[in-house]
Amino acid sequence: QVQLVESGGGLVQAGGSLRLSCAASGRTFSSYAMGWFRQAPGKEREFVAGISWSGDNAFYADSVKGRFTISRDNGRNTGYLQMNSLKPEDTAVYYCAARRYGTGYSSITAANGYGYWGQGTQVTVSS
């Protein structure tokens, strides 16, 4: 089992920045790929960013490329999502997720491949 706890969400003005953290406990975090997903009211959950277990591969949704950066610190069992130039349309509940292995695009971007999820953290961007 892997337990995930997100933090760092909040209210920010458009153009501002936030850094989300995902603290993992349980099994060895370093052997798990990690993803960030988000869900806005009335919308389906969507992929935001993902990173392979080694950190060598990272993928982003087109809507956040160039603005968001995913990273991980396996020594601290923590993943991060740095969000810059935030827009009102980034408003959503953000979830981190973990899955064993996963290195390629198809495995890291697919929500149904993730077996472990955090409780979510609210990000609200005001215009």
Side-chain angles (χ1 to χ4, degrees), residues 33-85:
M34 186 187 74
W36 287 95
F37 295 80
R38 66 187 181 186
Q39 188 166 19
K43 295 187 177 181
E44 293 187 353
R45 188 171 298 190
E46 64 174 357
F47 170 77
V48 176
I51 189 167
S52 62
W53 64 271
S54 64
D56 290 344
N57 297 326
F59 304 98
Y60 299 90
D62 288 343
S63 59
V64 307
K65 275 181 184 176
R67 300 188 298 122
F68 290 12
T69 302
I70 189 171
S71 62
R72 63 189 299 159
D73 184 340
N74 287 340
R76 295 178 181 269
N77 282 358
T78 302
Y80 304 96
L81 184 68
Q82 177 67 43
M83 305 186 296
N84 299 329
S85 302

Side-chain angles (χ1 to χ4, degrees), residues 7-10 18-22 36 79-83 94 121 123:
S7 61
L18 285 174
R19 188 176 82 155
L20 305 183
S21 298
C22 177
W36 287 95
Y80 304 96
L81 184 68
Q82 177 67 43
M83 305 186 296
Y94 282 70
T121 185
V123 171

Side-chain angles (χ1 to χ4, degrees), residues 2-21:
V2 174
Q3 293 80 40
L4 304 172
V5 179
E6 302 98 335
S7 61
L11 173 65
V12 65
Q13 287 188 330
S17 298
L18 285 174
R19 188 176 82 155
L20 305 183
S21 298

